[in-house]
Amino acid sequence: AQSVTQLDSQVPVFEEAPVELRCNYSSSVSVYLFWYVQYPNQGLQLLLKYLSGSTLVKGINGFEAEFNKSQTSFHLRKPSVHISDTAEYFCAVSVSGGSYIPTFGRGTSLIVHP
Amino acid sequence: GAVVSQHPSRVICKSGTSVKIECRSLDFQATTMFWYRQFPKQSLMLMATSNEGSKATYEQGVEKDKFLINHASLTLSTLTVTSAHPEDSSFYICSARSPGQTIYGYTFGSGTRLTVV
């Protein structure tokens, strides 16, 4: 079965600074990878996804992520964060040939300080 | 794009009573919907997969008699927490898969905060 590890439970950063949220996965088969954002008391919104092709994936709100197969990682990055980026971020993985229902990591709380 | 509406957003109920949460796909038909439970500062745990016109498929460890799921139409799935207890307090989120999508077409509702007192 697949699993997802988000290494940081909380990442504080100052506004306009760059940020990286780390995600590692485990799977014995090909994977599809996702990052979702959750604002307080709301559902999840898809930020970006990797299905195949280019390993650098660009998403909404200026976020991007890079798929590294050798390191089984899919880290999320943004070169300059805003206060409004403060939220919970979830990495998720689904595997090919299965139900495609995503498995989520524990989440990383991004806190942007002024 | 696809929109999933979930109601209520917050509910407080007394211990021993039942609570129903609705999940509607507003502009598409969803043959499959999913129910998740989220504990504070933790990930989403899949509780069950709701299939229109048939019985839901529950994940291991989820009590099907406590968490009743009904998917009577292509746009509505409901989760009823029966005989609720304080330990059932949690954030419940539904998700629906967009038509024609299998890999990533999941749209999430805004969630329901259940507090059992």
Side-chain angles (χ1 to χ4, degrees):
Chain A
Q2 68 273 22
S3 66
V4 179
T5 301
Q6 290 185 245
L7 299 167
D8 305 298
S9 60
Q10 197 172 77
V11 173
V13 64
F14 287 107
E15 193 173 20
E16 297 184 5
V19 71
E20 178 181 83
L21 306 183
R22 297 181 292 171
C23 171
N24 287 88
Y25 68 91
S26 174
S27 174
S28 58
V29 298
S30 298
V31 297
Y32 305 108
L33 295 157
F34 312 87
W35 275 99
Y36 288 85
V37 61
Q38 183 184 34
Y39 298 101
N41 293 311
Q42 293 189 28
L44 274 66
Q45 180 182 2
L46 182 65
L47 270 179
L48 48 78
K49 60 186 181 291
Y50 170 79
L51 304 181
S52 65
S54 174
T55 57
L56 183 62
V57 179
K58 294 188 183 296
I60 62 173
N61 301 341
F63 284 94
E64 63 180 33
E66 186 158 18
F67 170 57
N68 188 318
K69 188 174 181 179
S70 62
Q71 296 186 4
T72 60
S73 68
F74 191 56
H75 301 332
L76 180 71
R77 301 186 184 99
K78 185 169 183 179
S80 176
V81 295
H82 301 290
I83 296 285
S84 59
D85 292 323
T86 296
E88 197 79 16
Y89 291 80
F90 291 94
C91 182
V93 61
S94 67
V95 298
S96 60
S99 66
Y100 298 106
I101 299 174
T103 298
F104 291 87
R106 291 173 59 97
T108 297
S109 180
L110 175 62
I111 303 171
V112 181
H113 297 288
Chain B
V3 177
V4 171
S5 175
Q6 188 173 341
H7 292 282
S9 57
R10 290 176 181 271
V11 59
I12 301 173
C13 71
K14 290 185 177 180
S15 187
T17 62
S18 295
V19 174
K20 180 184 285 188
I21 303 170
E22 291 189 347
C23 181
R24 293 180 185 273
S25 56
L26 295 187
D27 48 3
F28 66 100
Q29 294 181 332
T31 56
T32 305
M33 291 186 177
F34 308 89
W35 288 95
Y36 292 86
R37 182 173 181 176
Q38 184 181 28
F39 292 99
K41 300 300 182 183
Q42 293 191 32
S43 185
L44 284 74
M45 300 301 296
L46 181 65
M47 298 174 66
T49 301
S50 168
N51 302 295
E52 188 269 334
S54 64
K55 290 183 178 180
T57 303
Y58 290 82
E59 296 298 303
Q60 192 173 9
V62 177
E63 299 176 61
K64 59 182 68 177
D65 293 332
K66 168 169 264 308
F67 299 101
L68 299 179
I69 292 173
N70 184 281
H71 194 157
S73 78
L74 287 170
T75 59
L76 174 65
S77 175
T78 61
L79 168 67
T80 302
V81 183
T82 63
S83 186
H85 291 285
E87 57 265 29
D88 298 324
S89 298
S90 193
F91 194 59
Y92 294 87
I93 304 176
C94 70
S95 172
R97 194 151 59 193
S98 303
Q101 296 290 347
T102 54
I103 299 174
Y104 62 88
Y106 296 90
T107 301
F108 288 82
S110 56
T112 297
R113 173 76 60 193
L114 170 63
T115 303
V116 184
V117 298

